[in-house]
Amino acid sequence: MSQAFTKSMARNIFFGGTVFFFLLLVALTVDTMQVLPKRDHRENITPSVARGKHVWERNDCIGCHTLLGEGAYFAPELGNVYQRRGGEFIKAWMQAMPTKAPGRRQMPQFNLTPEELDDLVAFLKWSGEINTAKWPPNIEG
Amino acid sequence: MRYQSQAVAKPYFIAAIGLFVGQVLFGLIMGLQYVIGDFLFPAIPFNVARMVHTNLLIVWLLFGFMGSAYYLIPEEAETELFSPKLALLMFWVFLVAGALTIVGYLAVPYAALAKMTFNDLWPTMGREFLEQPLLTKLGIVVVALVFLFNISMTVLKGRKTSISLVLLMGLWGLAIFFLFSFYNPSNLVLDKYFWWWTVHLWVEGVWELILGALLAFVLIKVTGVDREIIEKWLYLIIAMTLVTGIVGTGHHYFWIGTPEYWQWFGSVFSALEPIPFFMMTVFAFNMVNRRRREHPNRAATLWALGTGVMAFLGAGVWGFLHTLAPVNYYTHGTQITSAHGHMSFYGAYVMVVLTMISYAMPMMRGRAANSDKAQVMEMWSFWLMTVSMVFITLFLTAAGILQVWLQRVSATPLGFMAAQDQVTLFYWLREISGLVFLVGLVLYIAHFFVGGASRKAA
Ligand code: HEM
Ligand code: HEM
Ligand SMILES: [Fe+2]
């Protein structure tokens, strides 16, 4: 690098650039927060949906599955599982675990109560209705 | 070693390496569960193995960063550490808290752990990488603050260099952005949006400042190149990092409910994120070529060059591969993500910590460099771990491309589990590469115990 370009110039670019682009992130975030209610349909977050999210978290479902494409890649996407399978199937599935099929990936038995199962399904239904810009590409997730 | 108190780095480095072994063992367990689904079930379900694997990674890297800072800051500030006692105390607090957390994951079902630790009062658990109970999260904050106080006070009473300033900014940023892990609203979209302010703004933001500062420090030491030149590079690199990486957060806002304009902001800015990683590689090679002395620790130089190259490959190239929205539409949340996650974490953060250890550990043991025999063994471990990580990445990428094709592109898409059955071969190959990685790691540990004539301290 040439001598004319000094360390203090580099430092100024660093501080100036960081402040500017952090403010841009904040501005975009403020705008996103204005638009989100129309996309996440938060009016449909009932107490049951909120409890369902905690059931999801308490049992660390994200440790095997993805939800809207984020999480682990060991088991299927669940952001659209309500659309793929329906609520009754999900509840029956949870109760039938583990399959104990030899050599097959196993999902634990979480011993959820009927209320917890309802809450979980409500949460997954609400998650499936978020406007995700047409992701995933197809119903298989 | 110029200052007595730099020695507090030693227990931090030893703990880091110990936890690294645990991390890799749990990786191998999961790798086997990928092909033999019921392996160790129900004793260790996959999700438990995964939180142990990823949390050990984060915790040992934090041990590595803290140890590095305790070694670097006194030398840069040209004064003893503000309080070595405090540093040692925090070491034990962090180690015990970390160990208890891992034991908790393994000993009781996660839901029981959540209940025992009063997660209901302030739910923060059950989110990827942030699985720790509230108490552990608070513990991390306390340890981080005491650590930051200690090194900030040291810098305040001593010489203030650009390297220690950049390191301090990175470490303060690490603590500040971790605070977003305490925010967990019922609205999943908001939860995800700010979850990335911890995760992305760590690895593609403030951690890169730590990375740059540590690399710059070791390069000054092993090459003897003028500090002015090295620090100029450092500022330019981290300027590019934050100019691209902050708004680059948008590459995670394509499909989680956020507005479509993020597809533009996220794609454009994150596509530029490889630039600072490329600069880091050029920087490392340039400085080594212009070296003014032959440092006897050739292994440390190898690690420093390797960090530049592998960080560029893992973060720069494998990141770019899936960062444009039209590509990410298909690859989002697949084995391609995992491939990138492995090589980037290894190439950038694992390697920079091992670079620091490679340089500092002999110094703390009273010599400029280890014996030739020990260095040769260390270099073998470098190549075994690095090459096997390249293969892990390649096999996961192959699995990922097939997965995307079978499950998302094909006119007759397969279900997730059916697609997984088709790519088993690559999971076996990944597991074999993982075993080679473990051999490299064992060799790495063994090199500390190899004797022979060592080089005198400079
Ligand atoms: C060497 C043997 C290793 C094996 C067999 C292995 C295996 C795995 C597996 C199976 C997963 C879970 C993927 C999923 O969610 O389905 C995982 C996740 C992860 N591992 Fe490893 N791992 C190994 C070493 C490492 C090393 C050395 C690092 C750090 C450099 C690392 C960093 C990670 C990270 C960051 C994740 C989370 C990835 C993501 O969320 O995309 N692993 N690993
Ligand atoms: C050292 C720096 C980096 C590290 C340690 C890192 C690590 C990771 C990890 C662990 C994930 C998975 C997160 C999850 O589990 O959901 C991820 C995702 C991602 N990374 Fe990086 N990354 C780095 C740099 C980059 C760069 C420079 C780019 C772009 C050029 C990039 C692009 C991406 C993208 C697009 C995703 C989302 C993948 C998906 O949609 O599934 N990363 N990264
Ligand atoms: Fe990112």
Side-chain angles (χ1 to χ4, degrees):
Chain A
M1 253 176 301
S2 87
Q3 298 296 312
F5 188 82
T6 62
K7 183 169 103 182
S8 70
M9 290 159 85
R11 185 177 49 212
N12 292 342
I13 296 176
F14 167 70
F15 282 116
T18 301
V19 169
F20 181 83
F21 285 99
F22 191 75
L23 289 178
L24 179 58
L25 177 67
V26 170
L28 288 167
T29 298
V30 168
D31 183 76
T32 298
M33 293 305 131
Q34 313 288 308
V35 189
L36 271 188
K38 286 201 279 304
R39 303 178 61 95
D40 60 27
H41 305 291
R42 59 189 66 178
E43 68 279 6
N44 297 334
I45 303 181
T46 59
S48 174
V49 171
R51 284 196 305 272
K53 183 167 183 278
H54 289 147
V55 176
W56 169 269
E57 288 167 358
R58 259 202 312 280
N59 294 285
D60 192 49
C61 309
I62 203 83
C64 290
H65 295 274
T66 48
L67 185 62
L68 306 187
E70 294 167 4
Y73 324 112
F74 187 69
E77 163 69 27
L78 296 184
N80 64 348
V81 69
Y82 185 88
Q83 284 72 9
R84 187 162 65 236
R85 305 289 200 179
E88 286 313 307
F89 179 98
I90 296 171
K91 289 193 229 174
W93 175 270
M94 298 290 296
Q95 284 167 323
M97 291 298 108
T99 64
K100 299 210 172 108
R104 199 179 159 78
R105 296 183 191 172
Q106 295 293 310
M107 173 165 151
Q109 173 53 252
F110 294 108
N111 300 309
L112 301 184
T113 64
E115 297 76 51
E116 286 177 321
L117 283 173
D118 286 334
D119 294 342
L120 187 62
V121 167
F123 170 64
L124 291 172
K125 176 173 186 292
W126 171 79
S127 303
E129 289 161 2
I130 296 167
N131 178 351
T132 55
K134 300 200 176 62
W135 193 89
N138 65 49
I139 193 69
E140 298 299 346
Chain B
M1 202 174 67
R2 309 236 313 264
Y3 299 90
Q4 281 305 313
S5 50
Q6 287 178 285
V8 293
K10 206 166 165 184
Y12 281 85
F13 288 154
I14 294 171
I17 296 167
L19 299 176
F20 185 17
V21 176
Q23 184 220 337
V24 169
L25 292 178
F26 277 86
L28 289 168
I29 290 176
M30 273 192 291
L32 211 49
Q33 289 177 332
Y34 250 92
V35 278
I36 305 175
D38 51 0
F39 178 67
L40 288 185
F41 186 87
I44 307 180
F46 182 88
N47 61 337
V48 172
R50 194 184 202 269
M51 63 179 97
V52 174
H53 181 64
T54 55
N55 290 15
L56 279 178
L57 168 66
I58 296 169
V59 168
W60 87 255
L61 289 178
L62 293 180
F63 268 114
F65 289 164
M66 290 194 276
S68 301
Y70 283 133
Y71 186 88
L72 181 152
I73 291 290
E75 189 152 331
E76 285 288 296
E78 297 185 334
T79 171
E80 294 287 350
L81 188 64
F82 178 73
S83 169
K85 282 214 185 74
L86 212 50
L88 223 49
L89 178 69
M90 283 304 117
F91 168 78
W92 288 108
V93 171
F94 199 43
L95 191 65
V96 170
L100 283 179
T101 306
I102 301 294
V103 168
Y105 290 163
L106 290 167
V108 296
Y110 191 71
L113 182 66
K115 198 165 181 171
M116 281 160 55
T117 56
F118 307 105
N119 190 54
D120 282 347
L121 291 182
W122 187 343
T124 64
M125 293 172 69
R127 294 172 304 147
E128 195 192 359
F129 305 131
L130 306 182
E131 293 90 351
Q132 312 82 24
L134 184 62
L135 213 62
T136 308
K137 287 197 180 84
L138 291 170
I140 294 174
V141 173
V142 170
V143 169
L145 287 181
V146 173
F147 157 74
L148 286 166
F149 168 73
N150 206 349
I151 56 170
S152 302
M153 291 305 283
T154 311
V155 172
L156 283 180
K157 77 184 167 87
R159 181 177 71 143
K160 293 153 194 69
T161 67
S162 300
I163 288 183
S164 39
L165 182 67
V166 171
L167 184 65
L168 275 185
M169 286 189 293
L171 291 165
W172 274 101
L174 184 156
I176 288 165
F177 286 107
F178 182 67
L179 297 180
F180 285 95
S181 73
F182 292 94
Y183 175 65
N184 182 22
S186 297
N187 186 336
L188 180 71
V189 180
L190 292 177
D191 171 7
K192 283 176 175 293
Y193 191 94
F194 290 104
W195 180 85
W196 284 112
W197 284 43
T198 299
V199 177
H200 172 99
L201 290 178
W202 265 12
V203 299
E204 289 158 76
V206 290
W207 284 30
E208 279 185 61
L209 271 55
I210 302 170
L211 168 63
L214 298 183
L215 204 57
F217 174 78
V218 173
L219 285 172
I220 287 187
K221 298 291 164 184
V222 298
T223 67
V225 171
D226 188 28
R227 175 181 287 274
E228 279 300 301
I229 298 176
I230 292 211
E231 290 182 339
K232 182 160 68 176
W233 270 93
L234 176 60
Y235 271 125
L236 267 188
I237 289 171
I238 61 171
M240 281 313 291
T241 296
L242 294 188
V243 163
T244 61
I246 292 175
V247 182
T249 316
H251 65 182
H252 304 293
Y253 297 161
F254 297 158
W255 329 113
I256 61 165
T258 30
E260 273 86 354
Y261 58 69
W262 280 110
Q263 294 181 23
W264 284 100
F265 281 101
S267 297
V268 170
F269 280 88
S270 70
L272 301 174
E273 281 182 46
I275 294 173
F277 285 102
F278 185 67
M279 288 166 68
M280 235 177 275
T281 314
V282 176
F283 169 54
F285 276 89
N286 221 330
M287 295 307 117
V288 171
N289 284 337
R290 286 159 67 172
R291 66 184 175 276
R292 299 238 205 102
R293 70 162 87 107
E294 295 296 334
H295 196 280
N297 193 342
R298 284 168 301 130
T301 314
L302 180 65
W303 280 110
L305 292 175
T307 305
V309 174
M310 294 303 292
F312 173 63
L313 277 181
V317 177
W318 254 262
F320 183 79
L321 211 66
H322 62 164
T323 207
L324 300 176
V327 177
N328 192 263
Y329 183 68
Y330 290 102
T331 62
H332 183 45
T334 63
Q335 297 301 320
I336 295 181
T337 312
S338 187
H340 156 72
H342 277 86
M343 197 152 58
S344 56
F345 256 108
Y346 175 76
Y349 301 116
V350 170
M351 288 186 81
V352 79
V353 169
L354 297 187
T355 303
M356 266 310 282
I357 295 179
S358 181
Y359 173 75
M361 206 62 162
M363 296 287 191
M364 287 189 286
R365 297 167 85 191
R367 50 196 182 229
N370 291 325
S371 68
D372 283 347
K373 220 167 114 200
Q375 287 200 41
V376 167
M377 189 183 269
E378 188 181 355
M379 291 194 219
W380 266 97
S381 77
F382 168 95
W383 287 110
L384 279 173
M385 285 196 276
T386 303
V387 171
S388 60
M389 187 47 85
V390 169
F391 276 99
I392 288 176
T393 307
L394 289 173
F395 292 137
L396 287 177
T397 306
I401 291 173
L402 285 172
Q403 176 190 14
V404 166
W405 182 263
L406 292 169
Q407 190 188 320
R408 291 186 177 165
V409 178
S410 149
T412 51
L414 291 183
F416 177 92
M417 291 304 286
Q420 291 296 302
D421 285 339
Q422 300 293 310
V423 299
T424 310
L425 172 66
F426 291 101
Y427 294 142
W428 275 116
L429 293 170
R430 180 266 302 265
E431 184 72 349
I432 294 168
S433 314
L435 285 171
V436 177
F437 190 98
L438 181 66
V439 173
L441 182 54
V442 169
L443 221 55
Y444 177 76
I445 293 169
H447 99 268
F448 289 108
F449 301 98
V450 171
S454 55
R455 310 298 179 102
K456 280 234 175 62

